[in-house]
Amino acid sequence: MSKVKFCIKCGNKINPGERFCRKCGTPITQLDISRPTIHTATPPTPLKKEPIFSDREIKEVEIPKELYEQFGYRGELKSTKEKMEKLSVEVERIMGKIKSGEVDMAEYTDEIKDLKGQFATLKEKKNGLEGKIKSLPHEALAEDEELWRERLQKLDSVRKEKNLSKEVYQKMKAEYQEKYANASKKRRDEIAKMQLWKRKLEEERQNMKEKLEILETRYATGELSEVNYTKELKKIKEGYDKKKLAISELSEVLTAIKK
């Protein structure tokens, strides 16, 4: 009879075959991690295998609110910077025409003022978003992995400098290799969770797209009044746009990791 397992983070019961906790998203790892061999000088290379998720995993996974917000902030910040760049280009284009004598300054005074006002508003928004940006979990895990990789490589030079005994060297090497392997696994598990979150968000966005279509149809048939239609449209659209930004940023993060 199989032994009942519980999540080491939140205590939620884990069903057989599940790879992530349904409640908090923590990966279900094996506790009996074998020690790495000590006869190789090259640190183990983390596997880059794409995980395949079941429909149940995608449906039941919970995306931590703070991380969902982080991906949203990053996506919104990028969008804000792009808008600022477009405004700057437009102002420069108009100023170029004025300097060349192609147009008169008086004709564009109000437009330039409006463009600069929009730029100032976006700049304030950008500064606010930058203050909300925090490191993502996989970034800290990558730093930890790199730290143990460097220590493992440095051990060979220390062995010569300090004239370490074979027994001490082998013991230290086995310890560092195990810590490096564990750090690599934690980072891979975090990346797997992000891939799962992306699939989850994509499904949620698709469902919201369907809701928007149904809403449009109900309004077109006269079932919904303009007031109720406008109210519901705003609510669904805001959620849809947030998910779109989060998915875009999450996709870019995952793409950068694979390079």
Side-chain angles (χ1 to χ4, degrees):
M1 186 174 180
S2 61
K3 188 176 180 181
V4 178
K5 294 183 178 181
F6 296 90
C7 176
I8 59 174
K9 184 175 180 181
C10 69
N12 186 54
K13 182 179 177 182
I14 304 304
N15 296 320
E18 289 184 332
R19 297 164 61 187
F20 294 88
C21 175
R22 290 175 294 149
K23 186 175 181 182
C24 67
T26 299
I28 310 305
T29 56
Q30 297 295 326
L31 299 178
D32 53 340
I33 301 174
S34 56
R35 294 176 68 85
T37 55
I38 62 174
H39 52 74
T40 175
T42 305
T45 302
L47 298 176
K48 295 184 178 180
K49 191 174 180 180
E50 292 286 341
I52 299 176
F53 305 112
S54 67
D55 291 338
R56 188 181 68 179
E57 284 178 315
I58 295 171
K59 183 178 180 181
E60 295 179 347
V61 68
E62 290 294 334
I63 305 172
K65 182 180 178 181
E66 61 274 15
L67 286 181
Y68 174 67
E69 289 178 342
Q70 276 301 307
F71 290 122
Y73 291 150
R74 288 166 181 246
E76 195 173 356
L77 177 61
K78 188 173 298 179
S79 175
T80 301
K81 288 181 177 179
E82 289 173 356
K83 291 177 182 177
M84 291 174 67
E85 179 62 25
K86 288 180 180 179
L87 288 173
S88 295
V89 170
E90 181 60 18
V91 170
E92 289 178 5
R93 184 186 69 81
I94 295 174
M95 293 303 295
K97 284 187 174 184
I98 294 172
K99 289 179 180 179
S100 66
E102 185 178 345
V103 296
D104 188 78
M105 178 69 177
E107 296 178 27
Y108 286 89
T109 301
D110 290 340
E111 185 174 347
I112 292 174
K113 183 179 179 181
D114 179 59
L115 290 171
K116 288 185 175 180
Q118 291 181 47
F119 186 90
T121 300
L122 288 171
K123 185 176 181 180
E124 185 178 351
K125 181 179 181 181
K126 179 184 76 75
N127 293 338
L129 288 168
E130 287 177 338
K132 295 178 180 179
I133 301 298
K134 298 178 181 178
S135 297
L136 298 174
H138 81 278
E139 294 171 339
L141 292 172
E143 289 178 2
D144 189 47
E145 179 185 16
E146 178 64 15
L147 176 65
W148 287 111
R149 186 189 70 80
E150 290 177 352
R151 285 175 177 169
L152 185 58
Q153 291 182 336
K154 191 176 180 180
L155 184 62
D156 285 329
S157 60
V158 172
R159 178 190 184 187
K160 296 177 183 178
E161 294 172 4
K162 302 296 182 180
N163 194 26
L164 296 179
S165 66
K166 181 179 179 180
E167 292 76 14
V168 170
Y169 170 72
Q170 290 180 339
K171 183 177 181 180
M172 292 290 293
K173 188 170 185 178
E175 177 188 337
Y176 281 11
Q177 283 182 322
E178 182 172 347
K179 288 180 177 179
Y180 173 79
N182 289 340
S184 297
K185 187 178 185 306
K186 286 180 180 179
R187 183 181 64 84
R188 293 198 306 272
D189 286 343
E190 189 64 32
I191 293 171
K193 282 198 295 183
M194 288 196 293
Q195 291 171 326
L196 187 56
W197 295 338
K198 181 173 177 285
R199 289 283 303 277
K200 173 78 170 181
L201 287 172
E202 286 172 342
E203 287 205 356
E204 289 179 349
R205 184 179 64 169
Q206 184 59 37
N207 290 336
M208 295 183 81
K209 187 176 181 181
E210 185 178 311
K211 286 182 179 180
L212 284 170
E213 188 174 352
I214 291 174
L215 186 68
E216 292 280 357
T217 304
R218 293 188 188 280
Y219 176 61
T221 61
E223 181 183 346
L224 284 177
S225 66
E226 185 172 353
V227 173
N228 288 334
Y229 164 72
T230 304
K231 182 180 178 181
E232 287 299 313
L233 178 63
K234 182 180 179 181
K235 184 168 61 175
I236 297 175
K237 191 72 167 57
E238 284 178 354
Y240 182 87
D241 289 342
K242 284 182 179 180
K243 279 184 171 51
K244 185 178 179 181
L245 286 173
I247 291 171
S248 176
E249 184 60 29
L250 189 49
S251 297
E252 288 201 19
V253 170
L254 290 170
T255 299
I257 290 172
K258 292 177 184 178
K259 290 181 179 179

